[in-house]
Amino acid sequence: MGRRHPDSAYAGGMWHVLAGHCARESATACLVREAKEEAGLLVDPDGLDLVHLVHMVDRPGERPRVQLFFRARAWEGTPRVLEPDKTVAWRYWDADRLPAELVPYTRAALEGIRAGRPYTETGWSR
């Protein structure tokens, strides 16, 4: 996971998985592009499995988002800080000892994946 720059507009100082906004591209093409741009990782789009989906809203009144989580079966490279204005460090975490400063929807997705659930909703009032 990457430690977001403290001045980031979203989740400054928190840990987060590789992420980004799709720019007129498929979700898997976006993942491949972001992995290369953010961390210097080369990911084969044919080696990706969709493992979780989060439908979330950060705060009441904000625009809902759908977050897709993929598992890469293989990749080339070691994560490097290539966008220091966005990410200041990369680190592997044991799934049983995730950092306290983890983006909430990322934590929800990781918990869902470990429990074998394909879908999570968060931030919605019931």
Side-chain angles (χ1 to χ4, degrees):
M1 285 188 264
R3 180 117 176 157
R4 306 217 9 105
H5 190 282
D7 296 331
S8 291
Y10 181 76
M14 299 188 84
W15 291 93
H16 194 23
V17 293
L18 277 164
H21 296 276
C22 295
R24 297 180 186 255
E25 63 198 336
S26 71
T28 55
C30 178
L31 184 152
V32 169
R33 178 182 55 77
E34 290 286 357
K36 186 174 181 181
E37 289 175 2
E38 289 185 19
L41 300 175
L42 300 177
V43 177
D44 178 359
D46 294 326
L48 298 172
D49 298 312
L50 179 65
V51 293
H52 203 77
L53 187 143
V54 177
H55 190 205
M56 48 95 50
V57 62
D58 273 328
R59 290 180 279 291
E62 287 198 3
R63 188 172 75 196
R65 294 190 181 272
V66 173
Q67 310 292 353
L68 304 173
F69 286 77
F70 290 89
R71 177 178 295 128
R73 283 181 245 130
W75 64 87
E76 291 181 30
T78 301
R80 297 172 303 180
V81 174
L82 297 179
E83 296 180 326
D85 58 320
K86 296 178 183 175
T87 304
V88 297
W90 291 104
R91 179 174 169 192
Y92 289 97
W93 291 88
D94 183 298
D96 292 322
R97 290 189 276 251
L98 295 174
E101 311 86 14
L102 183 59
V103 170
Y105 81 80
T106 301
R107 182 179 303 281
L110 294 174
E111 289 171 356
I113 292 165
R114 292 191 76 200
R117 293 189 316 267
Y119 178 74
T120 298
E121 291 180 351
T122 184
W124 299 94
S125 44
R126 299 239 176 212

